Amino acid sequence: MGVNILTASGRPTTLGDDAVQQLSASVAGTVLTALSPGYAEARMVWNAMIDRRPALIVQCTSTDDVEATVRFARQHNLVIAVRGGGHNIAGNALVDDGLVIDLSKMQNVTVDPATKRARVEPGATLAVFDAATQQHGLATPVGVNSTTGIAGLTLGGGFGWLSRSLGLTIDNLLSADVVLANGTRVTASATENADLFWGIRGGGGNFGIVTSFEFQLHKVGPEVLSGLVVHPIDDAKKVLSFYRDFVETTPEEFVCWFVMRKAPPLPFLAPEWHGKEILVLAMIWSGDIAKGEEVMKPLRSFGKPIADVVGPTPFVGWQQALDPLLTPGQRNYWKSHDFASVSDGLIDTLIDAARHIPDPQTEIAFVQLGGAVSRVAHEATAYNHRDGKFVMNIHGRWADAANDAKCVAWARGLFQATVPFSTGSVYVNFMSQDEPERVKAAYGANYDKLVALKTKYDPTNLFRVNQNISPAKAATPAV
Ligand SMILES: Cc1cc2nc3c(=O)[nH]c(=O)nc-3n(C[C@H](O)[C@H](O)[C@H](O)COP(=O)(O)OP(=O)(O)OC[C@H]3O[C@@H](n4cnc5c(N)ncnc54)[C@H](O)[C@@H]3O)c2cc1C
């Protein structure tokens, strides 16, 4: 019967049963076709708007499995996608009618407390990573939703609550093991294949499949001072005007992101606020708790908050605090810009959009960066936009497909309205599937070097289901 599958040149072909059996025999993991038990679950990703049906999914359990699958894909000239945690908003973990190299079963994390280093397999989620490192009172900066995959997050750059003091996730990457397009395995670090190491720090999955990450860890927690301060949207102008000046003065252990949304029915919000538009300040101090109380005081006591739930919290708990609002299985559409500042005009535009938020799950989120992130030179890693002090994520999110048009239109409208205030750059990990023309903007002055690197390591563009950097020459079949 065989399996109908797409080639890298876009033409359909059929793999005979013998070829599929040969693939199964060459890996220790499981090979799924559309008829296999577990296929439906294996083709689900975080964003329910992504509905792709791969022809084959190889659930790898080792680097040997990854190598064997890459060799098989090359031998049969197949189009492939690579899956880490499956969180990418653009759905790049999956490819219709192609072969998915699924790393989500490879979740091992080993920590060496003496050297403060961790070795991490690419299927680990942030929850798995944080749990393993915090056992030793250690951490490195990663994202704010614990079900995100460490792999995709790291390869795009990676930022979170610790980034102002400890840098991006990639600033703490010491080395990585990579399976290249030619099927060989190499290590990339500052001293080995240094050009590849430069490229995987922000260049996404364009250059190979990472099968192991090695991170530098730092002493963090086990408790941090963190939580939320909530204001009515009517007070957002004066609160954000104060906020933007205040965060210029604070030490780097203090980080405060802000969110505009409709108030969810959470127990710490009085019922009369539920469903009304609010401004949420989400803050953390990762140093000494008593000092943090002093640092945060002016912001927490400004204006008339309707809730203040800031207090000492286990770091792993704060890393998961937003999870209930970011569960998988909802429909999501994102648009993003970087900003150098939060100007009056930007605040007015955001408040106006917040008053027209189309769904109770939709939000406008602002990430605060700067600090250690900005101290690394632009050309030191593929991630380029280190002077963007704020990253906006217009997070369109809703349950019902009937609301697609309304919610997408609102997100695009706010995106356009905020163009005049933005730096013109964008975080590659926040890009949707419909904006490939922005890849160049995502890499800015580093783009040409990335093209040269892609041409060297993946001249046939085997790794193309991502925010793709095309090799210099036209892609030829990957045989
Ligand atoms: C709810 C939510 C919250 C988020 N919060 C943050 C945040 O706080 N900070 C932040 O920086 N980002 C954040 N992100 C963005 C996140 O970094 C990206 O979605 C990232 O792509 C997720 O990685 P993944 O492994 O889960 O995704 P996947 O969809 O599995 O993969 C993403 C991309 O990486 C490639 N890839 C995955 N693994 C490998 C590998 N081992 N080798 C080569 N290529 C690989 C894939 O092919 C794909 O192109 C968030 C995303 C979501 C959905």
Side-chain angles (χ1 to χ4, degrees):
M1 204 165 78
V3 169
N4 295 325
I5 194 163
L6 212 57
T7 64
S9 43
R11 278 189 293 276
T13 188
T14 302
L15 286 178
D17 289 335
D18 51 340
V20 178
Q21 276 158 15
Q22 181 207 340
L23 174 63
S24 292
S26 69
V27 295
T30 309
V31 177
L32 304 176
T33 70
L35 302 175
S36 307
Y39 173 84
E41 198 189 349
R43 74 171 194 90
M44 274 163 52
V45 289
W46 181 80
N47 183 3
M49 285 189 94
I50 306 298
D51 181 22
R52 297 187 186 159
R53 292 172 184 275
L56 287 173
I57 300 175
V58 183
Q59 296 180 316
C60 298
T61 56
S62 67
T63 303
D64 287 348
D65 282 4
V66 176
E67 278 183 9
T69 311
V70 167
R71 280 198 299 272
F72 181 85
R74 284 176 58 85
Q75 184 192 347
H76 295 277
N77 187 27
L78 304 178
V79 67
I80 63 166
V82 179
R83 179 188 182 123
H87 259 232
N88 191 260
I89 190 72
N92 285 329
L94 300 177
V95 58
D96 264 332
D97 303 315
L99 182 151
V100 172
I101 300 181
D102 181 348
L103 309 168
S104 61
K105 305 286 181 202
M106 297 170 64
Q107 297 208 357
N108 195 38
V109 179
T110 27
V111 177
D112 180 352
T115 57
K116 296 201 181 85
R117 290 180 175 199
R119 275 255 162 223
V120 187
E121 287 191 328
T125 60
L126 306 188
V128 170
F129 177 73
D130 284 335
T133 53
Q134 275 289 284
Q135 269 187 22
H136 305 279
L138 299 170
T140 216
V142 291
V144 304
N145 170 227
S146 80
T147 56
T148 307
I150 192 88
L153 177 127
T154 303
L155 292 167
F159 48 65
W161 298 119
L162 303 176
S163 287
R164 275 177 54 73
S165 54
L166 298 173
L168 296 173
T169 309
I170 51 168
D171 298 333
N172 295 280
L173 183 66
L174 297 171
S175 72
D177 294 340
V178 187
V179 174
L180 299 175
N182 64 14
T184 59
R185 187 190 305 201
V186 297
T187 296
S189 70
T191 52
E192 259 180 286
N193 300 299
D195 59 349
L196 180 62
F197 188 53
W198 179 88
I200 61 169
R201 285 178 293 162
N206 272 287
F207 307 104
I209 303 178
V210 176
T211 55
S212 172
F213 297 89
E214 185 190 19
F215 291 108
Q216 184 65 60
L217 307 174
H218 310 267
K219 205 175 159 346
V220 174
E223 279 200 327
V224 293
L225 185 63
S226 62
L228 311 177
V229 176
V230 185
H231 291 268
I233 203 75
D234 286 346
D235 294 346
K237 179 81 190 255
K238 64 178 186 214
V239 174
L240 287 180
S241 303
F242 179 82
Y243 160 90
R244 69 169 173 223
D245 297 335
F246 177 74
V247 296
E248 285 294 321
T249 66
T250 45
E252 289 170 359
E253 293 96 324
F254 177 74
V255 176
C256 183
W257 296 15
F258 69 86
V259 174
M260 292 177 181
R261 58 172 297 136
K262 289 180 187 290
L266 293 171
F268 60 83
L269 287 171
E272 66 262 31
W273 289 104
H274 296 175
K276 301 219 170 78
E277 289 84 29
I278 51 170
L279 169 73
V280 182
L281 304 176
M283 59 190 81
I284 174 175
W285 169 266
S286 54
D288 170 72
I289 303 271
K291 184 164 180 212
E293 297 275 7
E294 285 306 306
V295 170
M296 286 184 182
K297 206 179 206 167
L299 185 59
R300 288 175 67 189
S301 53
F302 182 83
K304 290 192 181 139
I306 56 173
D308 179 332
V309 281
V310 176
T313 321
F315 176 67
V316 278
W318 180 239
Q319 283 288 92
Q320 301 180 8
L322 304 183
D323 286 4
L325 299 175
L326 298 169
T327 49
Q330 298 297 296
R331 302 178 77 77
N332 294 270
Y333 180 81
W334 292 5
K335 293 296 273 186
S336 179
H337 286 303
D338 295 341
F339 298 90
S341 62
V342 180
S343 64
D344 283 347
L346 176 60
I347 295 174
D348 289 340
T349 308
L350 297 175
I351 293 172
D352 183 53
R355 292 191 193 283
H356 299 94
I357 273 186
D359 191 274
Q361 295 198 67
T362 288
E363 59 184 32
I364 308 166
F366 265 68
V367 173
Q368 187 203 359
L369 290 177
V373 176
S374 307
R375 282 197 293 276
V376 176
H378 289 240
E379 64 283 1
T381 62
Y383 181 101
N384 179 46
H385 301 293
R386 289 177 177 274
D387 47 4
K389 284 200 182 150
F390 299 91
V391 176
M392 175 179 67
N393 185 8
I394 304 170
H395 181 182
R397 181 175 162 92
W398 61 99
D400 187 348
N403 291 331
D404 284 5
K406 178 178 77 170
C407 294
V408 169
W410 174 86
R412 288 184 177 152
L414 176 55
F415 173 77
Q416 284 306 332
T418 47
V419 166
F421 310 105
S422 74
T423 59
S425 63
V426 60
Y427 178 39
V428 72
N429 271 347
F430 282 179
M431 283 167 57
S432 288
Q433 64 270 39
D434 59 357
E435 44 188 9
E437 76 288 351
R438 294 185 86 200
V439 172
K440 220 170 171 172
Y443 293 113
N446 286 339
Y447 185 74
D448 289 346
K449 188 170 167 187
L450 283 162
V451 171
L453 204 63
K454 178 77 173 177
T455 311
K456 174 178 173 186
Y457 282 101
D458 184 17
T460 64
N461 208 5
L462 180 69
F463 304 115
R464 68 181 66 183
V465 181
N466 44 39
Q467 297 298 352
N468 196 232
I469 297 160
S470 294
K473 290 185 197 125
T476 49
V479 277

